[in-house]
Amino acid sequence: MTTTQPPLVVAVGAINWDVTLFVESLPSPGQEVTVSEVARVPGGTAANVAVAAARLLSPDVAVFVGALGDDAIADRQRDILRAEGVSTDGIVTIPETESGQAFILVDTNSQNVIASALGANAQLTPDHIRQPAARVMLSRARACAITDPPLSVIEEILYITTATYCRVSWDPGVLVTGDKSIVLPMARRMDTLLLNEEETATLFEQDAPRQIAVRLLADGWRNRVILKKGGQGATVIDLANSQLIEVPPLPLNELGMIPVNSVGAGDAFHGALAALEAEGREFTDALLGATAAAGINVSRPGTRDAPTSDELAQVLAAWREMGGAVSTSPL
């Protein structure tokens, strides 16, 4: 490593170049729609998470671990991450391969569909994670935020962090559609699992939090499962403490903010949660801060538009004055 202080947050997974197309409504099969605006910006779930964490922390204590190709996109991506204060020591270069790209359609209601060209992202391997630099980062980190690297990479991360103080969170996204005999045991080993509504239904074949809790407790799960509900906030199934935690959404309108683009909000949530927990915040405080970070991201046009620590503190203070708080109940 070239940094002089240990990492607080390591984000592992995809880094993409996003081409976002803004349309009035999402097309149905065979339908052509007119694009009103095109935005070309850096993205990728784990890179977004790393930036969201870095904006709340000191420079170079948030690290991105992932793969880029040997193209011009790769050079630009590294420069952008460094400018954000993200350490790029964990990036590997895959020869003769394009860097990842994503093509996103966003309608006027902030709904979106995404098509990804994985490129180098798909070629990150356990051998890359076993390299001394990556092992040192993971063994010293206080939080590891995983998104969508290959499952074999996630298994290696769990092996390395087993005997450490690193809290591991996983937002699997499309990986929940994989072999459940592999995905479910892996999810059970995470400190925190993050799922949206569709992913929850896919993985657990139901979406009622209390029913899910009964099943998971019976199967021996003792971690936290965060059910992200977009504009309705989030529900946390805290299996270790037998609690259900309800998190309200950030009241954008009341705070004078307007929803613009929901793409990247989940990454802002994940990065902020990892950063705030790594700093030693209580989980419920970190949870409220992560929700505020996601709401701020939604109020801005970019995919990677998470707040700085000062911006988050200002919005959180205003929200708390309005009564913003989580609520808990026993399972």
Side-chain angles (χ1 to χ4, degrees):
M1 291 182 63
T2 59
T3 54
T4 58
Q5 51 187 328
L8 291 179
V9 176
V10 175
V12 186
I15 180 168
N16 289 324
W17 193 253
D18 288 352
V19 181
T20 303
L21 310 175
F22 293 90
V23 297
E24 184 174 347
S25 60
L26 298 178
S28 57
Q31 179 187 13
E32 180 178 343
V33 295
T34 300
V35 175
S36 60
E37 181 184 352
V38 180
R40 296 175 177 87
V41 296
T45 54
N48 294 344
V49 168
V51 170
R55 290 184 179 179
L56 301 180
L57 301 169
S58 302
D60 295 324
V61 296
V63 181
F64 170 70
V65 173
L68 286 166
D70 56 358
D71 50 13
I73 289 177
D75 295 335
R76 192 170 182 185
Q77 292 278 39
R78 285 187 177 87
D79 289 343
I80 291 169
L81 288 176
R82 293 187 189 112
E84 289 280 4
V86 177
S87 169
T88 58
D89 293 348
I91 296 178
V92 297
T93 299
I94 309 298
E96 301 180 5
T97 303
E98 286 190 344
S99 297
Q101 299 178 68
F103 303 89
I104 307 165
L105 270 71
V106 180
D107 69 13
T108 53
N109 294 316
S110 297
Q111 298 301 305
N112 65 84
V113 293
I114 304 173
S116 295
L118 299 178
N121 290 312
Q123 298 189 42
L124 189 69
T125 69
D127 285 340
H128 295 135
I129 304 301
R130 295 186 191 109
Q131 295 299 310
R135 289 184 66 90
V136 168
M137 292 174 194
L138 288 165
S139 64
R140 293 183 178 179
R142 296 183 189 173
C144 177
I146 306 171
T147 60
D148 51 359
L151 293 176
S152 59
V153 169
I154 300 175
E155 184 64 40
E156 185 64 25
I157 292 169
L158 288 170
Y159 174 77
I160 292 171
T161 57
T162 296
T164 73
Y165 293 102
C166 181
R167 293 193 61 82
V168 183
S169 56
W170 185 27
D171 190 337
V174 70
L175 294 180
V176 298
T177 61
D179 185 345
K180 287 188 180 181
S181 68
I182 298 173
V183 174
L184 281 169
M186 191 171 288
R188 175 181 169 178
R189 294 164 63 191
M190 301 293 166
D191 294 296
T192 305
L193 179 68
L194 299 92
L195 303 168
N196 65 23
E197 292 172 291
E198 182 177 345
E199 293 156 3
T200 299
T202 298
L203 191 60
F204 300 130
E205 298 177 353
Q206 56 186 311
D207 57 10
R210 292 189 182 277
Q211 292 179 10
I212 293 171
V214 169
R215 170 185 166 182
L216 297 184
L217 285 169
D219 289 343
W221 290 46
R222 295 296 182 268
N223 54 0
R224 294 181 179 126
V225 181
I226 300 178
L227 310 180
K228 302 180 295 180
K229 300 184 292 186
Q232 296 181 328
T235 298
V236 182
I237 305 171
D238 187 345
L239 299 163
N241 297 299
S242 295
Q243 288 184 330
L244 205 64
I245 305 172
E246 295 292 346
V247 190
L250 185 69
L252 294 176
N253 292 334
E254 290 86 339
L255 290 167
M257 305 161 73
I258 300 172
V260 176
N261 180 12
S262 64
V263 180
D267 301 332
F269 180 99
H270 195 181
L273 183 67
L276 295 172
E277 281 205 280
E279 285 188 318
R281 306 283 185 92
E282 291 291 335
F283 176 68
T284 52
D285 287 340
L287 195 59
L288 201 67
T291 302
I296 293 169
N297 201 94
V298 168
S299 73
R300 297 171 171 178
T303 300
R304 193 182 284 177
D305 257 344
T308 65
S309 57
D310 288 343
E311 291 170 337
L312 181 60
Q314 183 178 358
V315 169
L316 267 176
W319 190 16
R320 285 195 171 104
E321 284 185 7
M322 298 167 56
V326 304
S327 60
T328 62
S329 60
L331 286 174

